[in-house]
Amino acid sequence: MSHQNTIKPYIPSLLSWYEQNRRSFPFRENPTPYMTWISEIMLQQTRMEAVLPHYTQFMKTFPTIQDLASAPEALLLKTWEGLGYYSRARNLQKAAKIVVEKYHGVTAEGLVESALDKVRIIEELVIRHVP
């Protein structure tokens, strides 16, 4: 039996369960690739309850990737305080600088969003039409 055939019977139940039980998080409401990226990095080895207040403050302090890239390290680390693993914050800023510099101050969010849209379309097609 193929992997797709094994999973297919569970897809409607899983989607239904998710719709009934999903929790609301700020990075799920009108998400951007930047918001998702920040939440994913923050949630590495950290509980959701610990991340949420920090995420909200982080997004207020650094609402764009350009703001993150140009921030003084002291402000970045102060904003990250309480999440631990400070190398994550430093590496996040290094990556933000690369994205901003490589794209001449324009984020790659449009490229990422376009790719995510394509993935969502493919997922929907697979979910609805897997034999």
Side-chain angles (χ1 to χ4, degrees):
M1 181 177 250
S2 78
H3 179 67
Q4 290 177 349
N5 289 336
T6 303
I7 293 173
K8 188 177 178 185
Y10 299 101
I11 292 173
S13 296
L14 287 171
L15 292 174
S16 175
W17 178 89
Y18 177 76
E19 284 301 318
Q20 293 172 14
N21 296 287
R22 74 177 171 174
R23 296 187 291 170
S24 178
F25 299 120
F27 45 83
R28 283 187 182 164
E29 308 303 320
N30 303 311
T32 66
Y34 175 66
M35 293 169 66
T36 302
W37 179 42
I38 299 301
S39 69
E40 289 292 331
I41 299 301
M42 285 186 169
L43 286 164
Q44 292 172 359
Q45 300 179 349
T46 309
R47 291 182 359 265
M48 182 69 71
E49 296 77 21
V51 166
L52 288 176
H54 294 285
Y55 174 84
T56 302
Q57 183 58 46
F58 192 93
M59 294 309 294
K60 285 179 185 174
T61 307
F62 311 111
T64 69
I65 197 168
Q66 290 90 348
D67 294 320
L68 174 58
S70 64
E73 185 177 284
L75 177 59
L76 171 66
L77 297 179
K78 183 66 177 167
T79 307
W80 195 266
E81 202 169 79
L83 290 172
Y85 302 99
Y86 288 91
S87 63
R88 289 185 295 172
R90 288 185 184 99
N91 289 332
L92 191 62
Q93 187 176 47
K94 285 178 191 175
K97 286 178 181 181
I98 291 168
V99 169
V100 170
E101 289 169 11
K102 184 174 180 178
Y103 294 98
H104 307 287
V106 178
T107 68
E109 287 184 4
L111 298 172
V112 172
E113 190 60 40
S114 176
L116 289 174
D117 286 341
K118 290 175 185 167
V119 168
R120 287 184 197 114
I121 291 167
I122 291 168
E123 285 176 343
E124 187 165 322
L125 289 171
V126 168
I127 288 169
R128 292 183 184 201
H129 301 290
V130 170

